[in-house]
Amino acid sequence: MKADLSVLDGRLNHRFRDPQLLARALTHRSCGARNNERLEFLGDAVVSLVVADALYAGFPDLTEGELTRLRVRLVRAETLAEVARELGLGPLMRLGPGELKSGGYDRDSILSDALEAVFGALYLDGGFAVARSTITQLFASRLAGIEAHAKAKDPKTELQEFLQGRGLALPRYDLIAVRGEDHEQVFVVSCRVPGLPDVIEGEGSTRRHAEQQAAQQALQRLVP
């Protein structure tokens, strides 16, 4: 384990003064009470701040809502798991027998949590400047390649990613009415979104257009 962790030190560009912090960050809760959940809590805040700061500096013309959507995309579980795989965290994870047997070392949720825990350990061991430097380096290509206004993604996709990034259920769309003549129909769709008390309605010349309008309204309420 020590040799493996020293390799990870090199990939993180930081030699841990307290190697037990890094070992704890890689210990899943299936191994017992001394696991990485508290470090994950801390690391989640650290990576969100670093990414938010990079976006704020890199995209001065974006609104708060646009910056929030970009941050969600960068720190969602799928992206964090990709970075964790690039670092080779999976084989270094300490898992209980059940998780190990079921392939937990390559599961997105476990890898993303472990990466956040590693970031928390970096912050405690080296301070914010060290954590910021490492996170910025690990996310450099993603920050450089991100599309500022995300024009390629429609509102339904953005809403889905926003909710997934927070571990929430996906929105539910229902067709509630079709008005007008056959050649001038207007479709009315309802959209139920976790976190919003009211049902949102959208209208459009097709059901798809109505769903997109409803999703756009939901995003505006969730991300002012």
Side-chain angles (χ1 to χ4, degrees):
M1 187 74 173
K2 289 183 179 179
D4 289 336
L5 292 186
S6 68
V7 170
L8 186 54
D9 279 351
R11 294 170 187 166
L12 295 170
N13 290 322
H14 175 70
R15 183 169 294 280
F16 275 77
R17 293 175 296 178
D18 181 3
Q20 288 303 310
L21 268 176
L22 186 56
R24 175 74 67 85
L26 297 171
T27 302
H28 187 255
R29 64 176 177 270
S30 59
C31 279
R34 294 181 61 81
N35 56 58
N36 64 6
E37 288 185 326
R38 283 173 55 83
L39 286 172
E40 174 201 338
F41 164 78
L42 184 60
D44 174 65
V46 173
V47 68
S48 291
L49 175 57
V50 172
V51 169
D53 181 63
L55 291 171
Y56 182 87
F59 302 103
D61 298 326
L62 294 190
T63 66
E64 176 191 1
E66 290 169 325
L67 290 170
T68 298
R69 286 193 283 274
L70 291 182
R71 183 187 63 190
V72 167
R73 187 181 306 170
L74 286 167
V75 299
R76 62 183 176 174
E78 294 88 347
T79 305
L80 293 174
E82 289 173 4
V83 176
R85 290 187 181 95
E86 292 167 5
L87 282 171
L89 293 192
L92 304 179
M93 289 289 299
R94 295 174 60 192
L95 303 169
E99 289 291 356
L100 191 62
K101 185 176 180 179
S102 66
Y105 57 85
D106 194 41
R107 189 174 302 136
D108 279 4
S109 59
I110 289 179
L111 287 173
S112 62
D113 290 349
L115 183 66
E116 288 178 337
V118 167
F119 291 155
L122 271 172
Y123 169 74
L124 290 178
D125 194 75
F128 181 71
V130 168
R132 178 180 180 177
S133 175
T134 298
I135 293 170
T136 301
Q137 178 184 345
L138 292 174
F139 281 82
S141 62
R142 291 170 174 84
L143 284 165
I146 199 166
E147 295 180 15
H149 293 279
K151 292 300 185 183
K153 301 215 174 183
D154 57 70
K156 283 185 66 177
T157 302
E158 286 196 47
L159 178 59
Q160 177 176 316
E161 291 182 352
F162 181 90
L163 296 172
Q164 287 178 326
R166 285 162 170 72
L168 299 174
L170 297 181
R172 174 184 167 184
Y173 300 93
D174 292 301
L175 180 65
I176 59 177
V178 181
R179 299 196 295 261
E181 302 296 331
D182 289 345
H183 63 288
E184 291 183 347
Q185 287 184 329
V186 175
F187 292 78
V188 184
V189 168
S190 66
C191 178
R192 291 175 173 81
V193 180
L196 293 179
D198 301 326
V199 176
I200 298 171
E201 291 187 5
E203 296 184 2
S205 57
T206 66
R207 178 170 179 169
R208 181 177 180 277
H209 289 160
E211 290 176 350
Q212 297 288 9
Q213 187 191 84
Q216 183 63 50
Q217 292 184 52
L219 282 168
Q220 290 171 353
R221 295 192 191 184
L222 290 167
V223 189

